[in-house]
Structure formats: C-alpha cells, structure tokens
Amino acid sequence: MGRKIREIMSNVPVAVGPQTSVVEVARRMREEDIGAVLVTDGDRLRGLVTDRDLVVRILAEGGDPGERTVHQACSEELVSVTPDDAAEDAVRLMREHTVRRLPVVEDGRAVGIVSLGDLAVERDRGSALGDISAAEPNR
C-alpha cells in the first residue's frame, strides 16, 4: 500500500489573510524559502498563491504591487487532498488539474501542502526531480 499524504506533506504551511499585500507575501516566501502560501480567512481556506501567481497576475499587469492584495493574485478554485489520502491520489489530481501544489485540508482547515517535489522524492528519490527536490537550498 502507498504512503499517505500526512507522511510526505509540509506540516506547517504559511498562511496569510486575503488583504495581505503581495509585497509582504513575496517577502515571506523569500524568508521561509517557499514557493506557495495559503490564503485563509480565519480558519477557512480561501486560496493558494504561488510565486508564479505573483509574477503572472500582479507584476505582468503593471501598476504598483505595493497596492495589490494577495486576494487579487491567489487561485481560489482549489483542488485539495486530505491527510489520509494516498500519495497516488495527489499525483492523479495534479495531472488532471495541471497544478504543482495541493493544500491538505482536514475538517475544513488547511493543515499542510503537498508539492510535486514532495511526491517526486516519495516515488523516486533518485530521479532528477526527486534528487533536486531533496537537496538543501543554497542560500
């Protein structure tokens, strides 16, 4: 039997409110060395914003990024998994929806994120993507 999402997910996701400045989100991504942040309203998951979203949805449109909020950049139509789902379920969902990260939701609350890199390490640590994903970042 394959591993469960809870065994491979990132457990402490960074979350911000919908009115958080995209500049603040970009700084958090840099400080935490992450590429995705959850957007929550209280305990409720509202969206997911990636570094790519910030570039494509905010910077490419022009204007002052300091005046834009994460709500304007995030993906709101989310596909998610639960901690008890199988890793293969996450792979299937990523393929079907062409996404690289999935929020992990339990009892309506976001409890983690599982990424393509997490799954690559799980499936074949020796593959190119698995090897790169398992490496410590150079700072």
Side-chain angles (χ1 to χ4, degrees):
M1 181 202 276
R3 290 181 55 169
K4 300 287 185 188
I5 294 297
R6 76 172 65 254
E7 298 173 75
I8 59 175
M9 69 184 197
S10 299
N11 287 319
V12 185
V14 173
V16 298
Q19 298 308 312
T20 305
S21 148
V22 295
V23 172
E24 174 61 24
V25 170
R27 286 184 183 133
R28 291 281 306 270
M29 286 179 174
R30 180 185 63 200
E31 290 166 5
E32 306 273 342
D33 194 31
I34 56 175
V37 172
L38 298 174
V39 180
T40 58
D41 193 359
D43 279 346
R44 185 157 182 230
L45 179 64
R46 294 293 198 183
L48 175 81
V49 66
T50 67
D51 44 8
R52 185 175 190 282
D53 292 333
L54 296 180
V55 171
V56 172
R57 295 183 179 156
I58 301 297
L59 292 178
E61 290 181 3
D64 182 0
E67 295 186 14
R68 306 289 298 275
T69 66
V70 73
H71 174 73
Q72 297 167 304
C74 73
S75 301
E76 295 177 325
E77 305 237 349
L78 294 177
V79 179
S80 63
V81 291
T82 72
D84 293 320
D85 285 336
E88 289 74 26
D89 294 331
V91 171
R92 179 183 50 76
L93 286 170
M94 286 180 176
R95 260 193 206 114
E96 287 175 10
H97 298 277
T98 59
V99 295
R100 292 178 173 89
R101 297 174 182 95
L102 296 170
V104 182
V105 178
E106 185 171 43
D107 298 325
R109 281 185 323 109
V111 295
I113 294 178
V114 64
S115 71
L116 182 61
D118 297 331
L119 294 166
V121 170
E122 163 61 23
R123 290 183 118 192
D124 184 2
R125 188 177 189 100
S127 71
L129 181 56
D131 188 43
I132 292 166
S133 297
E136 289 294 319
N138 293 329
R139 293 188 192 239

